[in-house]
């Protein structure tokens, strides 16, 4: 039996589309044997890998809001982030508890970046919430996560589509989902955080374009009517539905790969 690896890219609120892709794979009995993810892809992938049902994920993640995840850091000028990150860690803990990566139902890897060295940092073990929290830490927006001497921020700065890590875990077929689309016209850049996230998305979008191995099935999800920074229930539902639609379009190719 071929092992299927699911690779989920970062892309801020666009990452809700990953939920729709997972729903379609599950409904069509497509196995998910391995998951690797970056940033929002690490969040969605990590929660699913922990064993939470897709129905519970849909319910809980779609109801994320800026109010629920933003805890302003009064010392952001001295310690590197507008948002402390306790609130988002608490929300993640409510979904996955104290699970470690080793305890995940599906083998999982989260990607972060060491801001001091520029190196990619792969979470292969340890606390799952901490791994996700590090992977989503957009520089300047979230306070970095420190592990030993490593200062960790958003994984998209080093590898926004960790296909190689899925293959290293033994994936025979890799389904990669790319939600990182940067639209030139942005009408909602109202805050410093919006500008920083926008700049990060542009950077990681260009990294993905230059990536050679994009998987055996590459699902590129464009979301022109969804804002990358709109963590609202309405936009989450739009994004999830787009994920479903694009995954359904790629189902014949996924099945062809599995039957080879």
């Amino acid at each position: 039996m071929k092992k299927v690896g699911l690779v989920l890219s970062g892309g801020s609120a666009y990452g809700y589309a990953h939920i729709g892709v997972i729903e379609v794979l599950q409904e069509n009995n497509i196995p998910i044997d391995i998951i690797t993810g970056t940033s929002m892809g690490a969040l969605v992938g990590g929660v699913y890998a922990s064993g939470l049902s897709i129905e519970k994920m849909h319910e809980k993640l779609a109801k994320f809001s800026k109010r629920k995840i933003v805890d302003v850091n009064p010392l952001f000028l001295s310690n590197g982030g507008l948002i402390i990150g306790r609130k988002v860690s608490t929300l993640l803990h409510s979904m996955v508890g104290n699970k470690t990566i080793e305890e995940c139902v599906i083998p999982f890897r989260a990607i972060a970046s060491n801001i001091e060295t520029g190196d990619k940092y792969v979470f292969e073990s340890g606390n799952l919430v901490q791994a996700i929290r590090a992977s989503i830490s957009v520089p300047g927006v979230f306070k970095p996560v420190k592990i030993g001497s490593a200062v960790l921020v958003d994984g998209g700065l080093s590898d926004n589509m960790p296909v190689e890590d899925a293959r290293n875990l033994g994936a025979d077929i890799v389904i990669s989902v790319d939600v990182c689309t940067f639209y030139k016209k942005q009408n909602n850049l109202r805050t410093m955080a919006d500008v920083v996230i926008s700049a990060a998305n542009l950077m990681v979008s260009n990294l993905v374009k230059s990536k050679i191995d994009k998987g055996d099935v590459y699902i590129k999800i464009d979301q022109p009517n969804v804002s990358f920074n709109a963590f609202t229930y309405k936009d989450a539902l739009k994004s999830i539905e787009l994920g479903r639609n694009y995954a359904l379009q790629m189902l014949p190719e996924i099945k062809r790969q599995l039957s080879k």
Side-chain angles (χ1 to χ4, degrees), residues 77-134:
L77 289 176
S78 61
N79 60 18
L82 288 168
I83 299 173
I84 296 171
R86 282 199 209 96
K87 279 189 175 182
V88 72
S89 292
T90 299
L91 279 170
L92 288 169
H93 188 270
S94 73
M95 290 183 277
V96 307
N98 289 315
K99 273 193 176 169
T100 62
I101 290 173
E102 300 95 312
E103 293 172 327
C104 283
V105 176
I106 300 171
F108 172 70
R109 296 290 183 268
I111 309 302
S113 304
N114 188 329
I115 195 68
E116 293 187 333
T117 65
D119 295 331
K120 172 178 168 180
Y121 188 103
V122 183
F123 279 92
E124 300 178 345
S125 61
N127 184 269
L128 181 58
V129 168
Q130 185 181 51
I132 295 170
R133 168 67 178 81

Side-chain angles (χ1 to χ4, degrees), residues 39-101:
S39 199
M40 191 65 171
L43 193 157
V44 173
V47 171
Y48 186 68
S50 76
L52 194 70
S53 71
I54 193 65
E55 292 79 18
K56 282 287 185 185
M57 282 180 59
H58 194 299
E59 174 191 335
K60 288 180 175 288
L61 289 179
K63 290 180 179 177
F64 261 39
S65 68
K66 288 182 180 178
R67 178 180 58 81
K68 290 181 179 179
I69 63 175
V70 171
D71 43 2
V72 177
N73 181 7
L75 301 174
F76 76 91
L77 289 176
S78 61
N79 60 18
L82 288 168
I83 299 173
I84 296 171
R86 282 199 209 96
K87 279 189 175 182
V88 72
S89 292
T90 299
L91 279 170
L92 288 169
H93 188 270
S94 73
M95 290 183 277
V96 307
N98 289 315
K99 273 193 176 169
T100 62
I101 290 173

Side-chain angles (χ1 to χ4, degrees), residues 126-147:
N127 184 269
L128 181 58
V129 168
Q130 185 181 51
I132 295 170
R133 168 67 178 81
S135 188
I136 66 172
S137 296
V138 177
V141 177
F142 278 96
K143 181 181 175 182
V145 172
K146 292 185 179 180
I147 297 180

Side-chain angles (χ1 to χ4, degrees), residues 104-251:
C104 283
V105 176
I106 300 171
F108 172 70
R109 296 290 183 268
I111 309 302
S113 304
N114 188 329
I115 195 68
E116 293 187 333
T117 65
D119 295 331
K120 172 178 168 180
Y121 188 103
V122 183
F123 279 92
E124 300 178 345
S125 61
N127 184 269
L128 181 58
V129 168
Q130 185 181 51
I132 295 170
R133 168 67 178 81
S135 188
I136 66 172
S137 296
V138 177
V141 177
F142 278 96
K143 181 181 175 182
V145 172
K146 292 185 179 180
I147 297 180
S149 61
V151 181
L152 304 176
V153 295
D154 197 297
L157 300 180
S158 55
D159 190 353
N160 201 46
M161 191 172 298
V163 172
E164 181 183 0
D165 298 279
R167 296 202 189 280
N168 289 342
L169 277 172
D172 300 302
I173 296 170
V174 172
I175 301 170
S176 57
V177 186
D178 179 9
V179 300
C180 188
T181 302
F182 184 87
Y183 293 95
K184 291 181 180 178
K185 186 177 181 182
Q186 295 286 354
N187 298 318
N188 298 312
L189 301 180
R190 298 191 181 95
T191 67
M192 179 176 148
D194 290 342
V195 172
V196 172
I197 293 173
S198 178
N201 277 349
L202 177 58
M203 184 183 301
V204 298
S205 179
N206 288 331
L207 283 173
V208 170
K209 285 177 187 175
S210 64
K211 195 172 183 72
I212 295 171
D213 187 354
K214 294 183 180 178
D216 302 291
V217 179
Y218 176 59
I219 305 176
K220 181 73 179 75
I221 302 177
D222 291 320
Q223 303 183 58
N225 297 317
V226 178
S227 174
F228 70 90
N229 62 347
F231 285 89
T232 67
Y233 187 61
K234 181 180 177 181
D235 279 287
L237 293 183
K238 281 185 193 174
S239 187
I240 290 168
E241 189 59 29
L242 282 166
R244 287 186 59 85
N245 292 340
Y246 276 87
L248 285 168
Q249 289 174 30
M250 295 302 293
L251 258 183

